[in-house]
Amino acid sequence: MLSIIGGLYLTKALYHYVKPSKKIEMPLGGTYAVVTGVTSGIGRQFALQLSKEYNLILLGRNLKETEADILKYSPSCKIVCISIDFSLRNKDIYDEIKKKMKTLSVSILVNNVASRSGNFSSLQKQLDTIVVGTKPMVILTEIFREACETSGLI
């Protein structure tokens, strides 16, 4: 009997986190969305979809093709490209991003940076993959939080 009551209580408590979500109202404070990892995959798709409503700051390794695709999809979208390879661990890259985000009105951050090497032949390569997948995400979130004047969406 106690397990049934506990199960019901847990179900009610968890429902708050798993209930069907309402449509997210996009923040209107800024006109730019920052999207990382736009070279391919889900980051690229986020950028395409956001280009309908927002100007974009794109962060990635090879941006020419992505930029061209977005301009075909949304010709009026303004795009700022910052070509960056987070695996290089250059601290100056974050300063450039910070400057751009402070001069433009940003309201959305899609933090999709990751390493696609898949090379786990050594412990060092595994650690490098972890660093690329986590450190830039934390730093970019902090930069976004500082730069966002009004409410934002991460």
Side-chain angles (χ1 to χ4, degrees), residues 21-135:
S21 62
K22 297 177 186 173
K23 182 179 177 188
I24 296 174
E25 293 295 324
M26 296 302 230
L28 300 174
T31 58
Y32 279 85
V34 178
V35 186
T36 67
V38 297
T39 304
S40 64
I42 195 166
R44 186 183 191 110
Q45 291 305 313
F46 265 111
L48 284 168
Q49 295 306 312
L50 286 168
S51 70
K52 295 177 188 175
E53 301 290 327
Y54 291 89
N55 297 314
L56 300 174
I57 301 173
L58 304 178
L59 304 173
R61 294 179 316 262
N62 304 311
L63 299 173
K64 289 182 181 180
E65 188 178 315
T66 304
E67 182 181 19
D69 287 349
I70 290 169
L71 289 174
K72 286 179 193 171
Y73 189 71
S74 299
S76 62
C77 180
K78 295 178 187 170
I79 301 173
V80 175
C81 292
I82 301 175
S83 184
I84 191 166
D85 186 349
F86 287 105
S87 67
L88 299 178
R89 299 183 189 172
N90 182 353
K91 292 182 181 180
D92 296 336
I93 59 176
Y94 297 109
D95 293 335
E96 181 184 350
I97 295 167
K98 196 173 202 174
K99 286 178 190 173
K100 290 283 185 193
M101 286 178 68
K102 283 191 174 189
T103 60
L104 300 169
S105 180
V106 178
S107 60
I108 295 176
L109 170 64
V110 177
N111 218 342
N112 185 56
V113 64
S115 173
R116 295 179 65 202
S117 69
N119 185 346
F120 299 109
S121 60
S122 70
L123 178 60
Q124 187 58 49
K125 292 194 187 268
Q126 292 176 44
L127 293 172
D128 289 345
T129 299
I130 292 168
V131 168
V132 170
T134 55
K135 185 177 178 181

